[in-house]
Amino acid sequence: MSANITGIHIPDSKMAREATEFVRDTESELLFNHSSRVYYWGALAGQQRGVNVDRELLYIGCMFHDIGLTHEHCSCDKRFEVDGANAAREFLQGYGIASSDIDKVWTAIALHTTPGIPEFMAPEIALVTAGVEMDVLGIGYEKFAEEEIVAVTANYPRPAAFKEAIIQAFYDGIRHKPDTTFGNVKADVIKDKEPDFSPLNFCRVIRQSRWPG
């Protein structure tokens, strides 16, 4: 039975249980606990905002959002967010989920490192990003009650060195395909670990294109 925190708990369905097992067996303990906390932060944020959300879809989006960082689900040429979104799509297709709902989960995962857009989309999309931003960046921290923070982190521990550990996990998952960080926040991760890294530059790409002028 999952923790019940101010009315929020992990959906008790076959799909949710099997998603939990799938992610626990695939991700490191660090990423599994992070993804679990992201679900609670996202669902609690939805509660704060008074929005209706399909918590089962939200759970899948949160649990799969970083699975593209793992060796098993990492491509050589796609953004890790897309790898995770594709893994979630494949998982959901085995449960007869409507294509429109699969698209919501796919989009939620694909856009979770692209701030400024998800917040204006469906709750299942917006709240995945809200949960990620709370757990990684501390955005919205002050909106959560202390007892909520204590309860979530008691059930899904956040190590004292989490900040550096999650940056390292990001780096380990994307270091071999730096060009996929163009246009998202992950270029900062590689730059942090490799000071000489020169990310693709939007203006340079324009100037070096084959167009005259």
Side-chain angles (χ1 to χ4, degrees):
M1 187 70 177
S2 68
N4 189 320
I5 301 171
T6 62
I8 303 298
H9 57 81
I10 295 171
D12 185 19
S13 68
K14 181 176 185 291
M15 184 171 77
R17 289 192 296 271
E18 292 183 352
T20 301
E21 294 173 7
F22 183 92
V23 177
R24 184 187 286 122
D25 290 345
T26 306
E27 290 188 344
S28 64
E29 183 178 14
L30 178 88
L31 288 179
F32 175 78
N33 285 333
H34 160 61
S35 298
S36 300
R37 292 193 306 273
V38 165
Y39 168 71
Y40 277 94
W41 305 139
L44 288 167
Q47 192 178 72
Q48 293 168 7
R49 301 173 189 183
V51 298
N52 292 320
V53 61
D54 185 320
R55 288 185 184 167
E56 195 171 32
L57 295 181
L58 176 63
Y59 184 67
I60 301 301
C62 292
M63 294 309 292
F64 276 79
H65 85 277
D66 271 347
I67 210 158
L69 294 171
T70 67
H71 176 74
E72 293 86 345
H73 296 280
C74 180
S75 69
C76 295
D77 59 346
K78 299 180 185 67
R79 286 173 56 158
F80 88 94
E81 304 93 319
V82 172
D83 289 336
N86 287 343
R89 173 189 282 154
E90 184 177 351
F91 176 84
L92 288 168
Q93 286 172 339
Y95 295 88
I97 303 300
S99 60
S100 58
D101 286 336
I102 292 177
D103 286 345
K104 280 184 184 178
V105 174
W106 193 96
T107 303
I109 297 170
L111 289 181
H112 83 267
T113 62
T114 308
I117 295 176
E119 64 191 279
F120 300 105
M121 303 183 77
E124 293 79 9
I125 299 170
L127 295 176
V128 169
T129 292
V132 170
E133 290 180 340
M134 166 58 176
D135 204 60
V136 177
L137 303 170
I139 294 174
Y141 187 97
E142 68 285 351
K143 297 178 182 177
F144 293 84
E146 183 63 25
E147 55 267 29
E148 293 174 336
I149 293 172
V150 169
V152 172
T153 55
N155 282 278
Y156 301 100
R158 191 178 193 278
F162 176 77
K163 293 178 180 179
E164 293 304 321
I166 196 66
I167 291 172
Q168 185 66 46
F170 292 150
Y171 178 64
D172 290 342
I174 62 174
R175 62 195 298 179
H176 63 291
K177 47 181 184 179
D179 286 352
T180 66
T181 65
F182 180 56
N184 66 46
V185 298
K186 290 300 186 283
D188 293 343
V189 171
I190 298 182
K191 185 69 174 177
D192 182 80
K193 297 295 183 180
E194 302 176 20
D196 294 333
F197 172 61
S198 179
L200 283 174
N201 179 280
F202 180 65
C203 295
R204 189 166 68 243
V205 171
I206 291 174
R207 291 175 178 134
Q208 291 179 350
S209 79
R210 294 184 64 181
W211 283 106

